Amino acid sequence: MKSSFLLVSVFLFSFSIIAFGQLDSIYHQGPSQGNVANGAMQTTDNFPTNVQIIPSQEPREINPANNEFVAEPMIEDVDQSKLPPYVYVEDTNAGKNENPNLALNGGSVLLDKFPGFGATNAVPPDPSMAVGPNHIIATVNGFPSFFRIFDKQGNILKTISVAAWYAPVSPEEGGDGQVIYDHFAGRWIINYLQANNSNQTSSNLVAYSDDDDPIGTWYVYRFDTKKHGTIQSNTWGDYPQLGFDDEAIYISTRCFQFGGYFQYSKIRVISKAELYASNGGPVTWWDFWDVRRPNVNPPSGAALDGIHPTFSYTAGQGGYFFYSHFSSANWYVLYKVLNPTSNSPRLRGRELVSTTYYTTPNAGQLGGGTPLESNGSGCRTSPIVKDGKMFIAHSTGNTANVNYASVKYVILDLNTVSILEQAELGAIGYYYIYPTIAVDESNNIAVTFTRSADSEYAGAFYSTKANGDPPGLSPSEAIQEGLGNYQQVASGRNRWGDYMAIYLDPADNHGIFTHTEYANVANSWSTYIGHLIAAPYPGAHVYPLPNSYDFGDVETGTTSPTVQIILANYGDADLTITDIPATSGNFNLETTFSPVTLGTYDSLTLEFSFSPTAEGQVSTVYPVTSNDPQFTGIELSGTGYDVTLASEKTFYASSGVQNNGDLITIDPMSGGGTTVGSSLYDEVTSISINPLDGKLYGLVTGSTSSDLVKFNAGDGDAHLLFNLNISLMAGIAFDTSGVLYGVTRSGEVYTIDITNGTTNFVVDGEGTYLGVTFNPATNELWATTRSVVVNKDLIFKVDLTSGDTTFIGNTGLDKQTNDIAFDENLDLYGIIGTSSELNDFVSIDPMTGAGTVVGSVGMKHILSLAYIDEIVLGVEDDENNVNIPT
């Protein structure tokens, strides 16, 4: 279709009521229809559950544009007398950055939070996010970029390389990711830009899911942005922004000359009915470009930079766009696409008077340096269209002192195209930048943003306003405080972001998730995802904390440690809980319960346990009877496993990744090893047998903490008992009375309570440690050294009172002894050999330490030994025999 350039007379601004179809004509080119012949099918099954994102190079700027944030103040001579009062709220929480996991802030609650992304090799990160019925998709920039699929508890289900995701349709991607969940149709949409200055290509990379579950089938497309419909241009599309209503998907872009400067903004309109039915087939769209102010004649009416599409939550409202000026101004522009899915879509607009807002200054931070780039006062994220209103957030120079920055929200009446409410949150000395807004079912508002000051690092914050409260946001509350000064300066710009993210939870239309950037240590950014409510739910509302719990693996015939579940009333009416049974299946209520009534934000703490009776996973919704009709109970699950005791007079050994983490037994006559079974871990560092019951325990060492596991000695499988907050552990060993000791590589000795996982420091032993065991006759701790040069084959004893060591001797085998164990005759045996060679089973003289090779185990990476002569059924004092110690 041939493009057109509309020339119309100037329309004076008016507050009179106007119908949607009576918005002003505006200056623009288009529409022109574009198309693509096909896309491709993609699936999340092609990608691993999770990958670690490790920056491969120094951070570099994503898609640097030649004139980012270049705008002159545009204060017009307009009548502001009919505007509603402008409200400035001084933030009483300025300077406070506590970030508890559960925070009450007026009527709002921070329900939960979890990490989003650590720093990639790109700046700025541009965090985006959308929320569906059961999942969250979050994005950040990188080289390549990544997006993640989370469940709502913060568990990472997929981490996907964007370059690989779009590889079936595009050889590259350029970041600036955007994601939405289309609640009208139950679909996910992800968009990234592609631009190549060398071969002068540019596109929107669009993907959509086949249903509301992001795990599974998607369709990916490359939509050319160098062309405006069928009209060829010499531009590429920067800063793509997504919006939607019940009819169409909208993508706005900033059009730059290849190697040149900003030219104009473009609006792309895609019919959802056509897109969702395409399944990788042909798709068409309409483009409008060179969009100008509605009431200014060319050539003085410059093309507007940064026109934002909106998210619609009410069907039939239409596809709206919004513009606020990057510098000081006292006007906004509202646009609307009429008949977006017809063969003759039209673009209309109206300029409206606002209270003057000011250029947002760059943000200072603790530690000084180059300030964080704020990107001016333009609207940086999609406004919300709901119930005949538009809700907008953007930053502004603080009206009390323009050297600082505030967050401003505005509510527009779409029927009269006028401002209903406007308010600013700020504090002298502080900077509030990149705000973004969400609105819940009751028109309660939440915004998230970065806050910093000369006395404060850049942190992730939020604020709210309950519907019906006077204009103004609540004091800011931390999601994650800033942790360091941020300096990633390129061409004089310390880029912090283009946008943050916030999204309404469609599962209840009340909860709101945020994805916000904060300054981490070492000049790096990171993001946090928060979950909050802006005001209590209507009625009585049970909110369990946590909302589900998995007890993990628990031995059959035993009872797990108890776990606390909090039932909070996050409704505006009293909650009455009348009954919770004492048991439900294999799960037990350990708290004595009687009926209770909870007011708003009151809570009840309950303790539960799990007592499996058979192997396998079980789950239940533990019933809770209350006056909340939406809540039926607490989701509990757990897995039972059987334990076969260790065999007496048998050497057991654990292994590492070169032997698949298997549990084995070793023949003491030949040294040959026999596989019992997989431990289900890549590596089990150490094992020991409890002499009181014959159960085999293991240690899985980590760099920051370690796991205590219990084995099924019959089949080799190991199951997590407790996480030990001890780093770099060398081994564990039971003494003769059944007390479990743990030793770190540097010699710190702890006792470990096998009933609850608590640890107590005993002594700091001399030397370094590789393997440990107790002499069954003397109850002395014996050890092998971790040294790799001097005395690397040394065997020694440790005094648990003083930490002093006594040398037994060297094996003389010129290899480290990975671990040692005594048999019933007090003969000492050990394992030697590296992870990459077949290991040997050796006998060691307990008097001299001299070692003799018994034979090859026939396996690599054998790490630990354990042995028990006989299982002791009990330990008692014999008062009649003075030779037996108590």
Side-chain angles (χ1 to χ4, degrees):
M1 175 177 289
K2 185 178 180 180
S3 67
S4 61
F5 193 81
L6 301 182
L7 299 175
V8 296
S9 59
V10 175
F11 282 76
L12 297 177
F13 176 81
S14 171
F15 279 98
S16 62
I17 296 177
I18 50 179
F20 290 148
Q22 293 176 320
L23 293 174
D24 298 345
S25 296
I26 59 174
Y27 303 108
H28 65 78
Q29 296 191 60
S32 179
Q33 190 176 53
N35 67 85
V36 65
N38 60 271
M41 182 183 289
Q42 182 59 277
T43 175
T44 58
D45 296 339
N46 294 333
F47 298 86
T49 298
N50 191 18
V51 295
Q52 187 175 7
I53 302 173
I54 302 176
S56 59
Q57 60 196 49
E58 287 297 312
R60 59 191 176 99
E61 191 175 7
I62 192 84
N63 302 318
N66 283 342
N67 65 334
E68 187 82 16
F69 179 39
V70 176
E72 295 296 325
M74 298 189 70
I75 308 296
E76 305 288 350
D77 184 13
V78 294
D79 180 9
Q80 297 180 325
S81 64
K82 297 181 181 179
L83 290 172
Y86 187 83
V87 176
Y88 174 84
V89 176
E90 183 79 12
D91 185 4
T92 57
N93 275 357
K96 300 177 182 178
N97 53 16
E98 297 84 359
N99 54 339
N101 193 50
L102 173 63
L104 295 178
N105 182 23
S108 68
V109 183
L110 181 62
L111 302 173
D112 194 12
K113 62 176 186 175
F114 49 86
F117 290 84
T120 66
N121 48 15
V123 294
D126 293 343
S128 180
M129 176 187 63
V131 182
N134 300 297
H135 300 85
I136 297 168
I137 298 181
T139 71
V140 292
N141 287 329
F143 296 101
S145 302
F146 288 86
F147 69 87
R148 276 182 172 151
I149 303 175
F150 298 86
D151 65 19
K152 290 181 180 177
Q153 286 69 54
N155 299 303
I156 300 172
L157 306 180
K158 294 285 182 180
T159 298
I160 295 176
S161 163
V162 175
W165 183 249
Y166 289 106
V169 294
S170 175
E172 59 198 355
E173 58 87 13
D176 278 3
Q178 289 273 287
V179 57
I180 59 176
Y181 177 74
D182 178 3
H183 55 87
F184 293 109
R187 304 285 190 117
W188 299 83
I189 303 283
I190 301 176
N191 180 77
Y192 278 80
L193 74 81
Q194 176 270 320
N196 188 311
N197 198 57
S198 298
N199 60 23
Q200 296 199 348
T201 59
S202 179
S203 63
N204 297 132
L205 301 179
V206 176
Y208 72 89
S209 65
D210 67 342
D211 57 22
D212 64 6
D213 186 350
I215 304 296
T217 300
W218 289 64
Y219 297 94
V220 294
Y221 282 89
R222 180 186 182 276
F223 296 158
D224 194 336
T225 52
K226 186 177 179 181
K227 288 183 178 180
H228 307 328
T230 58
I231 308 302
Q232 191 65 257
S233 79
N234 189 38
T235 65
W236 61 278
D238 183 36
Y239 187 64
Q241 295 292 295
L242 281 176
F244 67 99
D245 62 9
D246 54 319
E247 294 186 89
I249 301 294
Y250 305 95
I251 307 175
S252 66
T253 51
R254 306 171 66 224
C255 296
F256 281 77
Q257 278 187 329
F258 283 102
Y261 294 90
F262 173 76
Q263 302 298 298
Y264 41 72
S265 293
K266 177 163 70 174
I267 291 171
R268 176 158 289 176
V269 183
I270 307 168
S271 167
K272 293 196 309 188
E274 179 182 347
L275 178 67
Y276 296 157
S278 62
N279 295 335
V283 174
T284 63
W285 61 82
W286 292 95
D287 284 342
F288 300 88
W289 65 101
D290 196 11
V291 181
R292 310 283 180 119
R293 291 174 64 182
N295 62 343
V296 180
N297 274 316
S300 60
L304 298 184
D305 184 1
I307 300 172
H308 261 275
T310 60
F311 295 168
S312 178
Y313 285 87
T314 306
Q317 298 267 268
Y320 280 94
F321 293 76
F322 178 81
Y323 175 84
S324 64
H325 193 52
F326 277 64
S327 188
S328 300
N330 55 0
W331 50 272
Y332 297 125
V333 182
L334 188 67
Y335 299 95
K336 184 178 181 182
V337 177
L338 306 178
N339 306 316
T341 60
S342 72
N343 287 324
S344 57
R346 292 180 295 156
L347 184 63
R348 295 291 182 263
R350 179 168 285 278
E351 189 168 302
L352 63 156
V353 172
S354 75
T355 300
T356 302
Y357 50 94
Y358 300 96
T359 304
T360 304
N362 289 338
Q365 54 179 320
L366 179 61
T370 302
L372 303 172
E373 186 175 84
S374 70
N375 252 319
S377 301
C379 177
R380 306 299 296 181
T381 54
S382 295
I384 303 300
V385 171
K386 183 177 182 292
D387 299 336
K389 299 181 179 67
M390 183 183 291
F391 300 80
I392 305 124
H394 67 89
S395 58
T396 177
N398 186 295
T399 55
N401 186 329
V402 295
N403 293 313
Y404 303 102
S406 300
V407 54
K408 178 181 179 181
Y409 78 87
V410 180
I411 304 176
L412 303 182
D413 187 323
L414 294 176
N415 294 300
T416 62
V417 194
S418 61
I419 294 176
L420 293 173
E421 184 174 314
Q422 50 183 350
E424 174 187 340
L425 177 70
I428 303 303
Y430 286 79
Y431 305 87
Y432 300 70
I433 56 176
Y434 298 103
T436 181
I437 193 166
V439 183
D440 72 9
E441 59 184 343
S442 303
N443 288 343
N444 303 306
I445 293 171
V447 294
T448 188
F449 44 85
T450 292
R451 190 187 84 186
S452 72
D454 293 339
S455 58
E456 178 179 284
Y457 298 126
F461 287 79
Y462 79 94
S463 185
T464 61
K465 177 194 177 293
N467 186 27
D469 282 357
L473 293 167
S474 66
S476 59
E477 192 76 38
I479 300 170
Q480 174 59 48
E481 65 179 311
L483 301 177
N485 182 270
Y486 182 86
Q487 298 292 317
Q488 293 291 346
V489 181
S491 302
R493 302 167 62 189
N494 192 11
R495 294 195 66 185
W496 181 245
D498 286 332
Y499 43 82
M500 308 297 169
I502 192 167
Y503 219 91
L504 180 65
D505 185 352
D508 58 22
N509 290 316
H510 198 85
I512 293 170
F513 285 85
T514 62
H515 187 202
T516 318
E517 183 182 359
Y518 70 96
N520 211 328
V521 296
N523 286 326
S524 66
W525 57 262
S526 292
T527 68
Y528 238 91
I529 294 175
H531 183 198
L532 61 92
I533 56 173
Y537 289 84
H541 184 86
V542 179
Y543 190 88
L545 299 166
N547 62 2
S548 64
Y549 188 81
D550 186 352
F551 284 89
D553 295 351
V554 176
E555 181 185 348
T556 55
T558 69
T559 297
S560 72
T562 60
V563 62
Q564 285 190 346
I565 304 288
I566 298 173
L567 298 184
N569 176 19
Y570 286 161
D572 59 10
D574 284 350
L575 170 70
T576 300
I577 302 174
T578 55
D579 185 51
I580 306 176
T583 62
S584 177
N586 292 155
F587 301 92
N588 318 295
L589 175 63
E590 300 289 354
T591 304
T592 301
F593 172 78
S594 57
V596 62
T597 296
L598 304 175
T600 298
Y601 293 154
D602 286 344
S603 62
L604 173 68
T605 300
L606 304 169
E607 290 190 342
F608 293 88
S609 64
F610 174 46
S611 303
T613 57
E615 283 192 301
Q617 185 177 36
V618 293
S619 61
T620 189
V621 175
Y622 204 104
V624 176
T625 304
S626 74
N627 62 333
D628 178 0
Q630 304 301 317
F631 183 76
T632 58
I634 305 164
E635 296 179 11
L636 300 177
S637 60
T639 301
Y641 67 91
D642 289 337
V643 167
T644 300
L645 303 183
S647 298
E648 296 177 344
K649 298 177 173 58
T650 300
F651 279 100
Y652 288 89
S654 67
S655 62
V657 65
Q658 298 297 325
N659 193 48
N660 305 312
D662 289 345
L663 179 71
I664 68 171
T665 57
I666 295 177
D667 184 339
M669 302 303 295
S670 67
T674 301
T675 299
V676 176
S678 172
S679 69
L680 308 178
Y681 287 87
D682 291 337
E683 179 174 306
V684 179
T685 308
S686 180
I687 56 174
S688 187
I689 302 170
N690 187 346
L692 299 187
D693 59 14
K695 293 180 180 180
L696 179 62
Y697 290 76
L699 177 72
V700 180
T701 295
S703 58
T704 58
S705 63
S706 303
D707 291 334
L708 183 67
V709 300
K710 186 186 287 186
F711 275 89
N712 174 8
D715 296 323
D717 48 300
H719 303 270
L720 176 66
L721 281 180
F722 305 107
N723 179 261
L724 309 176
N725 191 28
I726 304 173
S727 62
L728 300 176
M729 293 188 71
I732 56 172
F734 280 99
D735 73 1
T736 56
S737 65
V739 176
L740 181 63
Y741 286 78
V743 183
T744 69
R745 295 175 184 178
S746 60
E748 294 174 342
V749 181
Y750 298 84
T751 58
I752 303 169
D753 190 326
I754 59 175
T755 65
N756 57 28
T758 59
T759 60
N760 286 295
F761 178 76
V762 176
V763 72
D764 193 356
E766 295 178 348
T768 62
Y769 294 74
L770 188 58
V772 292
T773 193
F774 276 92
N775 185 313
T778 65
N779 205 30
E780 294 174 307
L781 181 64
W782 288 50
T784 69
T785 182
R786 195 168 205 87
S787 173
V788 295
V789 181
V790 179
N791 282 331
K792 64 181 176 181
D793 57 355
L794 180 66
I795 310 296
F796 59 95
K797 295 188 297 183
V798 184
D799 187 322
L800 291 180
T801 301
S802 65
D804 294 339
T805 57
T806 302
F807 289 1
I808 301 299
N810 300 86
T811 65
L813 299 175
D814 197 36
K815 291 184 178 181
Q816 288 178 312
T817 307
N818 301 337
D819 199 13
I820 50 178
F822 288 94
D823 70 4
E824 72 272 20
N825 299 315
L826 301 185
D827 293 326
L828 185 62
Y829 293 87
I831 289 289
I832 63 172
T834 66
S835 62
S836 59
E837 64 182 346
L838 296 178
N839 292 176
D840 291 327
F841 183 70
V842 300
S843 65
I844 300 172
D845 187 330
M847 300 300 294
T848 67
T852 303
V853 175
V854 175
S856 173
V857 180
M859 301 174 186
K860 301 177 182 179
H861 213 178
I862 307 304
L863 297 174
S864 183
L865 285 176
Y867 185 91
I868 188 169
D869 173 23
E870 60 180 357
I871 300 171
V872 180
L873 299 180
V875 178
E876 297 179 357
D877 291 342
D878 187 344
E879 297 177 355
N880 299 318
N881 189 335
V882 296
N883 295 319
I884 298 178
T886 59

